[in-house]
Amino acid sequence: MPEYKYLIVGGGMTADSAAKAIREIDSAGSIGIFSKEKHLPYNRPPLTKNLWKDLNYGKLWRSTEKLGADIHLNTNIVSLDVQKKSASDSGGKSYSYEKLLLATGGEPRKLPFSADGLIYYRSLADFESLKSLSEKKNKFLIIGGGFIGSEIAAALSMQGKDVTMVFPEELIGINVYPRDLAQFITNYYRQKGVRVAPGLQVTGIRKSGARYTVDAGQHGQIDADVVVAGIGIRPDVSLAEQAGIKTSNGIDVNEFLETSAKDVYSAGDAANFFNPHLGKRIRIEHADNANKMGRAAGLSMAGAGELYNYLPFFYSDMFELGYEAIGELNSSLQTVSDWKEKFKTGVIYYLDGGKVRGVLLWNVWGKVDAARNLIGSREEFKPEDLKNYI
Ligand SMILES: Cc1cc2nc3c(=O)[nH]c(=O)nc-3n(C[C@H](O)[C@H](O)[C@H](O)COP(=O)(O)OP(=O)(O)OC[C@H]3O[C@@H](n4cnc5c(N)ncnc54)[C@H](O)[C@@H]3O)c2cc1C
């Protein structure tokens, strides 16, 4: 049985960051990286952003191959034996490990019905399919008004495509942004030519020839050449569950990113951890967390573990709109907007009992650390105290 000192399940940003951190400490220990994907590890955020403007794959890759690891692409690890310390792939081949990382990320949530060619947008392979379709087809329907739905709708619209967005919420991002900002974003999309159909649940999709017909409640039926769904992800906990590792919303880890099984770690979109800034367990589906938590897991695995007590930030781009944000962006919290110029530049604070839980830096850059400190301070604020605070 092939033996690895470090075995990493997953071929995403977390896996790559962990392998790089291991190499900082251990230049020679064997590393095996196993990925279901056909591509080497790459950065996912450009799949809805820059790659549509500049088809330069060079900036996508993370150079994982330079680490001297065995990278097994197109390889699905299907079982884990935490007593024997081995993992097996779908071809029945087993590998032993000393330390194992579950960097299994997330799988797109699926609609309760299927249709041939429906794209659940997550991977570089999905980008390649959609890009190729965008060269031949014109009418695109996007199901979902969250991060992926709104970013891919903007990217396709900027390619001159006829784009319709359909989602059950009242406005784009209404669960994230304060109502007036969500209304502004929704209007902005419409001005950019995107047909926005909010408040609608898709109840069925049929494909007839090359056309799709989507049933969209009181909106009736919408025809499209291509249908893309971005309705969130589920953490991929299947291996952890099969191995009897504790999971809740994701794979539970302690401050050193160890799971309930000895010498098994988890990080990234799949992992659920305690965050001292927010004083609770969270799971984060963003790039900064994949990079930092992956690194922390790699250091832990190589024996140089530090507490993972970092509050990651995230970012999004929609046409020319862009922001960085940190903490809990939940529009059901009290929000305080401090605009320099309304809807153009400003800071929005999310408060719970006077304490800042989240900060949205709308077209405001270089202030993430200040926002993190503010959340971590756990001080109580009155809305007026926050004027010009950041
Ligand atoms: C299109 C897109 C745009 C994004 N844009 C932004 C953004 O603007 N800002 C931001 O902050 N974040 C963004 N994100 C989120 C960010 O990219 C993710 O948080 C990050 O990629 C998570 O990395 P991960 O390695 O933990 O998980 P994943 O990227 O999900 O990687 C997990 C990998 O493990 C593999 N795998 C899973 N199980 C197995 C198994 N059993 N055997 C073998 N392989 C397995 C999967 O195939 C996959 O390759 C975006 C995500 C997407 C999809």
Side-chain angles (χ1 to χ4, degrees):
M1 183 187 321
E3 291 172 15
Y4 287 112
K5 186 165 180 188
Y6 308 99
L7 193 156
I8 300 177
V9 187
M13 296 165 67
T14 302
D16 169 76
S17 299
K20 286 190 174 121
I22 290 169
R23 278 288 174 259
E24 286 177 31
I25 308 294
D26 183 346
S27 58
S30 58
I31 304 177
I33 299 176
F34 293 78
S35 177
K36 281 195 265 196
E37 292 188 57
K38 64 177 178 185
H39 294 108
L40 286 165
Y42 55 87
N43 293 315
R44 271 183 217 280
L47 303 182
T48 40
K49 305 178 190 66
N50 294 355
L51 217 46
W52 290 92
K53 298 177 194 150
D54 170 12
L55 199 60
N56 179 355
Y57 274 40
K59 295 181 189 153
L60 211 61
W61 305 119
R62 296 179 58 110
S63 307
T64 320
E65 67 282 6
K66 294 188 182 150
L67 299 173
D70 287 347
I71 306 178
H72 304 256
L73 299 176
N74 291 310
T75 308
N76 189 7
I77 296 292
V78 292
S79 71
L80 194 58
D81 186 328
V82 296
Q83 310 301 329
K84 291 194 183 133
K85 297 184 86 170
S86 70
S88 304
D89 67 23
S90 54
K93 197 162 175 192
S94 296
Y95 310 83
S96 71
Y97 64 85
E98 288 178 33
K99 308 270 178 180
L100 180 134
L101 176 66
L102 291 170
T104 48
E107 281 284 319
R109 282 178 194 278
K110 300 276 160 60
L111 293 160
F113 35 79
S114 61
D116 214 25
L118 168 65
I119 298 177
Y120 288 98
Y121 201 77
R122 177 83 185 159
S123 66
L124 181 52
D126 298 330
F127 167 80
E128 288 172 336
S129 307
L130 192 57
K131 176 76 184 156
S132 142
L133 287 165
S134 75
E135 280 150 17
K136 301 185 280 257
K137 309 276 184 178
N138 187 46
K139 220 172 164 200
F140 289 73
L141 178 72
I142 313 298
I143 303 173
F147 292 116
I148 298 295
S150 52
E151 289 191 5
I152 203 65
L156 287 164
S157 174
M158 286 192 281
Q159 302 288 304
K161 300 291 144 189
D162 175 329
V163 179
T164 302
M165 281 177 84
V166 50
F167 49 86
E169 297 83 20
E170 206 186 324
L171 296 166
I172 295 174
I174 186 67
N175 297 328
V176 176
Y177 315 111
R179 171 168 291 275
D180 60 348
L181 181 57
Q183 185 69 67
F184 166 80
I185 296 169
T186 306
N187 293 344
Y188 187 85
Y189 268 64
R190 288 185 170 134
Q191 281 159 19
K192 290 281 183 185
V194 176
R195 260 186 288 273
V196 183
L200 296 176
Q201 197 88 43
V202 170
T203 53
I205 303 177
R206 284 178 310 283
K207 192 174 183 200
S208 161
R211 296 284 283 178
Y212 292 89
T213 304
V214 173
D215 298 318
Q218 68 269 38
H219 196 87
Q221 295 181 330
I222 305 172
D223 285 341
D225 300 323
V226 181
V227 183
V228 182
I231 54 170
I233 64 162
R234 273 183 221 291
D236 192 336
V237 298
S238 49
L239 261 186
E241 282 179 346
Q242 171 273 318
I245 292 170
K246 190 165 179 293
T247 62
S248 46
N249 168 25
I251 303 169
D252 289 0
V253 291
N254 66 14
E255 303 88 322
F256 292 98
L257 311 183
E258 296 162 321
T259 69
S260 61
K262 189 169 177 336
D263 295 326
V264 179
Y265 299 73
S266 184
D269 280 18
N272 182 305
F273 63 103
F274 179 80
N275 187 275
H277 288 82
L278 296 172
K280 65 176 191 179
R281 294 190 75 86
I282 54 172
R283 191 176 60 74
I284 296 215
E285 297 169 3
H286 294 297
D288 185 39
N289 185 57
N291 289 327
K292 302 282 194 332
M293 199 180 190
R295 178 177 150 73
L299 293 177
S300 257
M301 291 165 79
E306 295 159 8
L307 287 179
Y308 188 65
N309 54 14
Y310 177 72
L311 183 62
F313 76 98
F314 60 98
Y315 52 94
S316 184
D317 288 344
M318 299 169 278
F319 294 102
E320 292 82 26
L321 306 173
Y323 66 80
E324 291 178 332
I326 186 161
E328 288 181 314
L329 260 64
N330 176 345
S331 58
S332 68
L333 296 173
Q334 181 190 5
T335 56
V336 177
S337 303
D338 183 18
W339 293 111
K340 297 269 173 294
E341 195 179 345
K342 196 148 190 191
F343 304 136
K344 279 208 160 161
T345 309
V347 180
I348 294 163
Y349 301 89
Y350 294 71
L351 281 83
D352 190 5
K355 292 182 182 144
V356 178
R357 303 290 294 174
V359 180
L360 171 60
L361 300 157
W362 188 259
N363 202 19
V364 169
W365 310 100
K367 299 289 183 187
V368 165
D369 288 342
R372 183 182 293 110
N373 292 339
L374 181 60
I375 295 168
S377 76
R378 306 274 200 113
E379 276 174 51
E380 285 192 25
F381 290 89
K382 293 195 190 71
E384 54 273 26
D385 300 336
L386 292 166
K387 182 96 193 126
N388 291 325
Y389 193 93
I390 288 182

